[in-house]
Amino acid sequence: MSSEDLVMMPWVAARRALGDRPLRFRLLTPPYAALGVGTLRALRVEPLSGEHDGAWELVAGYDRYERL
C-alpha cells in the first residue's frame, strides 16, 4: 500500500495500515475556534526524511468544521 492509498482514509485505518512504524501525528485545524465534525481522515501521509529512523508523518483533519 502506498502513501497515496492512505489519503482520505479514516485516520484509524491509515494508522493501522502503517503498522508498527513510528508516527508523527498532526491535526490540521482552522485558524479560529472550531469543532471538528464528521470523520477524522488522513490528509497527508509521508515518510519523514533525515534522522527520523523510518518515522512517518500523518496529517489529519475532519470532514468539516463548525465555528464556535
Side-chain angles (χ1 to χ4, degrees):
M1 181 174 285
S2 73
S3 60
E4 291 87 23
D5 295 332
L6 302 176
V7 173
M8 296 308 294
M9 186 181 281
W11 94 270
V12 175
R15 176 64 182 125
R16 190 176 308 119
L18 289 170
D20 292 336
R21 293 181 181 105
L23 182 72
R24 177 186 292 168
F25 178 83
R26 294 181 185 232
L27 181 61
L28 185 65
T29 59
Y32 50 83
L35 179 66
V37 178
T39 303
L40 184 60
R41 298 185 182 278
L43 302 176
R44 185 176 68 213
V45 182
E46 56 189 24
L48 294 171
S49 60
E51 302 174 11
H52 295 285
D53 297 327
W56 285 61
E57 181 177 52
L58 190 153
V59 178
Y62 285 95
D63 290 330
R64 63 187 174 92
Y65 294 89
E66 290 183 3
R67 189 182 287 262
L68 296 177

